[in-house]
């Protein structure tokens, strides 16, 4: 019994470390995007994010001990879900990447953390889940925090402040849709198919927009490659962490992403949007933690 508890605790600690590392990589991806956003359109950035994001996924497949098993499961049922997830992810990326270029780094990141609230709402019509008074209260309280940060009555309010909410809707819908796949399909197989679908929609939107610009120099190429690699590796680490322990055990640590974003925005870009973030950020975090707490009670 002691040995099992010790093993579970070690798995929990490893899951937390893996999860935090994944969140840090995703924030580093956002740093690369903010650097590139002055020269390239968000749609083109989304395309290269998805192309180079395949690098860690393919390497993980190649060096995995279960590579032969993965080869036999490359064809998945309900493929339309993977296609729809790709569209949702591309939409979310374009919204979030555009916001990153035009508003403070930490503010854009903080607003995107409305995703758990969106997931709670979308789970009602899609997953037929029943949402009780506690989670509805969390949703209302959380969106009140979003309202305080966006502050539409302010003279400095801009359309770009709303875009992270579009990203939260896109990412939230993609996360709800993944629950529709059979449980025996490996997560990285699902992610790989969704990544390919995202590339397709990025190309489609780029052709429609006529905003493609050739990569101007080798430094930008390195930034694009790092951006995609950081993003692909970050998503994989989040998935890996969820598979090491119960998702409700690691989900609250998601909000360390706001701390990472604030620190990176301050150190790299000289931004410190205290006035914009507080007190709304406390409402968003409190609402998310309340939702995770209710989910954990259901699991237990």
């Amino acid at each position: 019994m002691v040995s099992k508890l010790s093993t579970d605790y070690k798995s929990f600690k490893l899951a937390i470390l893996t999860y935090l590392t994944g969140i840090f990589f995703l924030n580093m991806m956002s740093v690369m995007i903010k650097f590139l956003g002055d020269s390239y359109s968000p749609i083109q950035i989304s395309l290269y994010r998805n192309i180079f994001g395949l690098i860690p996924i393919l390497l993980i497949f190649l060096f995995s001990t279960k590579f032969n098993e993965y080869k036999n499961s490359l064809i998945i049922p309900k493929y339309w879900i993977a296609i729809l997830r790709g569209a949702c992810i591309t939409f979310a990326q374009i919204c979030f990447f555009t916001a990153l270029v035009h508003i403070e780094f930490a503010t854009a990141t903080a607003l995107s953390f409305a995703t758990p609230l969106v997931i709670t709402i979308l789970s009602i019509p899609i997953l037929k889940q029943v949402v009780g008074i506690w989670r509805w209260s969390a949703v209302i309280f959380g969106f009140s925090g979003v309202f305080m940060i966006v502050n539409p009555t302010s003279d400095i309010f801009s359309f770009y402040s709303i875009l992270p909410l579009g990203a939260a809707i896109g990412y939230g819908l993609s996360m709800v849709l993944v629950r529709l796949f059979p449980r025996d399909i490996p997560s990285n197989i699902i992610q790989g198919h969704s990544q390919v679908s995202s590339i397709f929609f990025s190309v489609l939107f780029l052709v429609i927009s006529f905003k493609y610009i050739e990569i101007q120099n080798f430094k930008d190429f390195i930034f694009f490659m790092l951006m995609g690699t950081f993003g692909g590796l970050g998503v994989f680490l989040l998935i890996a962490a969820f598979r090491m322990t119960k998702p409700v055990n690691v989900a609250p640590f998601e909000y360390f992403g706001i701390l990472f974003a604030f620190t990176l925005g301050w150190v790299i870009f000289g931004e410190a949007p205290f006035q914009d973030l507080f007190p709304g950020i406390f409402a968003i975090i409190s609402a998310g933690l309340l939702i995770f707490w209710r989910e954990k009670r259901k699991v237990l």
Side-chain angles (χ1 to χ4, degrees), residues 8-191:
D8 290 343
Y9 182 64
K10 288 181 180 179
S11 297
F12 172 73
K13 290 195 297 183
L14 180 60
I16 297 304
L17 179 60
T18 302
Y19 197 74
L20 292 176
T21 304
I23 291 174
F24 179 76
F25 277 136
L26 290 176
N27 273 274
M28 289 303 300
M29 174 198 74
S30 297
V31 169
M32 298 294 106
I33 292 168
K34 198 164 180 68
F35 278 125
L36 292 165
D38 291 335
S39 304
Y40 305 92
S41 73
I43 301 176
Q44 184 172 350
I45 294 174
S46 171
L47 173 61
Y48 285 119
R49 153 65 182 92
N50 294 319
I51 290 175
F52 288 113
L54 283 174
I55 293 176
I57 294 177
L58 293 175
L59 290 176
I60 290 165
F61 281 165
L62 183 62
F63 292 103
S64 173
T65 56
K66 296 183 178 181
F67 179 69
N68 291 328
E69 296 179 22
Y70 291 152
K71 287 193 299 184
N72 296 329
S73 58
L74 290 179
I75 305 300
I76 61 174
K78 298 185 178 181
Y79 193 75
W80 64 270
I81 301 177
I83 296 175
L84 184 55
R85 286 193 77 237
C88 292
I89 292 170
T90 303
F91 169 77
Q93 288 174 342
I94 293 172
C95 288
F96 184 56
F97 297 174
T98 304
L100 275 174
V101 176
H102 290 92
I103 64 178
E104 289 87 352
F105 187 82
T107 302
T109 303
L111 288 171
S112 69
F113 276 83
T115 299
L117 311 179
V118 174
I119 292 173
T120 300
I121 296 174
L122 293 177
S123 65
I124 300 173
I126 297 176
L127 303 178
K128 310 301 181 184
Q129 291 186 354
V130 177
V131 175
I133 185 64
W134 280 100
R135 284 192 289 175
W136 271 122
S137 300
V139 168
I140 295 172
F141 189 57
F143 276 114
S144 71
V146 171
F147 184 85
M148 284 186 279
I149 294 176
V150 173
N151 196 9
T153 61
S154 170
D155 293 336
I156 60 174
F157 168 75
S158 71
F159 165 75
Y160 299 112
S161 300
I162 303 177
L163 290 180
L165 301 182
I169 293 173
Y171 286 131
L173 182 55
S174 72
M175 294 176 72
V176 172
L177 288 173
V178 79
R179 296 282 298 276
L180 298 178
F181 284 107
R183 291 182 177 274
D184 58 339
I185 300 179
S187 298
N188 44 2
I189 294 293
I190 295 173
Q191 183 62 25

Side-chain angles (χ1 to χ4, degrees), residues 270-285:
E271 301 171 350
F274 288 101
Q275 188 174 357
D276 295 337
L277 290 178
F278 298 97
I281 191 62
F282 287 119
I284 296 175
I285 294 176

